[in-house]
Amino acid sequence: QTKTPTTLPTGVWAQQIQKYQAMTLNGQPRTFPVKMLVGAEKVLARMWHEHTCTKLYTPTQLGEIVQARNFTAIGEINQLAATKKNTTKIEIKHGTLQEVEEDVWDPRSTWSVIDGIEALKWAWIWMELGAEEDIVNYTDGFVRKRRQAPNKMAQIKQLWDEAGWKIALALRENQTFGTISQQIMADVQFVQEVLARSTATTTRGARPTNET
């Protein structure tokens, strides 16, 4: 089994940015917002490897890119990254010292959740996970749900996690991002069921409740 890389293949970062910027908007060149992702290359390397090599997609959590990138959404130095360079820690497991992954930072405010969604939007556009319009529609839909349900922080994050597994498993079966993301947003029963849960019953990172 090929080990998941921690760095991007040579030239891929620039290649994908150039592809984005080669497309014009109303005749004007576009500029990719590199500060939304730069510094999170380890996360991007895993996502790129899954997309282009293994096709064994896994969800990306809301805090993964936000905690690793060098800049905040408004362009300031990201203190999360500045104070936390290592993503692994040493623990005693089964009587021996073992290196384990640090917990992913968990966004706890409306703006931090929106920042996480926006970061994933740009990561997906960068890696061409699907059509840009589909990616924008899906992530914008989640931002709207967060604004519409200000008292449902835990449930919105749970919805993101479960929807993420639905997307990952569908992509493994060669469905398109556009198809599965549109199905998720149209599945009123699924969305309402998650949003109706009590905070105590939400389980972050869980697979969809209808998946085995």
Side-chain angles (χ1 to χ4, degrees):
Q1 183 176 359
T2 305
K3 185 177 180 180
T4 301
T6 57
T7 58
L8 287 166
T10 302
V12 164
W13 170 259
Q15 163 197 296
Q16 294 303 107
I17 290 174
Q18 288 169 4
K19 287 179 71 173
Y20 175 88
Q21 296 185 160
M23 297 178 63
T24 59
L25 181 63
N26 296 325
Q28 299 298 314
R30 306 193 301 176
T31 300
F32 189 88
V34 294
K35 285 187 175 181
M36 297 293 284
L37 302 179
V38 68
E41 286 82 3
K42 182 178 179 180
V43 181
L44 296 177
R46 187 200 79 227
M47 297 170 70
W48 180 261
H49 185 67
E50 291 175 355
H51 184 50
T52 62
C53 297
T54 67
K55 301 298 181 181
L56 296 176
Y57 295 91
T58 57
T60 303
Q61 296 182 52
L62 284 172
E64 286 191 69
I65 292 176
V66 173
Q67 77 175 357
R69 65 188 183 188
N70 292 337
F71 300 94
T72 67
I74 59 175
E76 297 178 347
I77 296 299
N78 183 10
Q79 294 304 314
L80 285 172
T83 59
K84 186 179 178 181
K85 291 298 184 184
N86 296 322
T87 58
T88 58
K89 58 183 177 180
I90 303 298
E91 287 185 353
I92 297 178
K93 282 192 168 186
H94 309 296
T96 61
L97 288 174
Q98 296 183 25
E99 188 179 76
V100 297
E101 289 291 324
E102 288 274 18
D103 294 333
V104 174
W105 177 74
D106 184 26
R108 296 182 180 275
S109 71
T110 293
W111 282 114
S112 61
V113 169
I114 291 175
D115 283 350
I117 295 171
E118 289 286 308
L120 262 296
K121 176 184 76 175
W122 288 111
W124 287 341
I125 290 173
W126 170 84
M127 65 188 285
E128 297 179 283
L129 185 65
E132 185 175 333
E133 181 181 7
D134 292 327
I135 293 169
V136 171
N137 287 340
Y138 179 73
T139 52
D140 283 358
F142 256 94
V143 170
R144 284 194 300 273
K145 290 184 185 302
R146 180 67 197 109
R147 294 183 187 279
Q148 292 166 353
N151 299 320
K152 296 283 188 178
M153 172 76 74
Q155 291 85 349
I156 290 291
K157 292 190 290 187
Q158 179 74 24
L159 182 63
W160 179 269
D161 289 342
E162 293 199 18
W165 271 113
K166 284 179 177 288
I167 290 172
L169 295 175
L171 292 174
R172 290 185 184 196
E173 296 176 356
N174 294 320
Q175 295 185 46
T176 66
F177 178 89
T179 297
I180 184 58
S181 63
Q182 289 168 25
Q183 289 175 356
I184 289 170
M185 288 313 218
D187 190 345
V188 177
Q189 182 178 352
F190 164 64
V191 173
Q192 292 304 318
E193 187 276 324
V194 176
L195 294 181
R197 294 176 192 168
S198 67
T199 303
T201 61
T202 57
T203 306
R204 296 300 314 285
R207 287 174 180 258
T209 52
N210 63 340
E211 299 289 347
T212 57

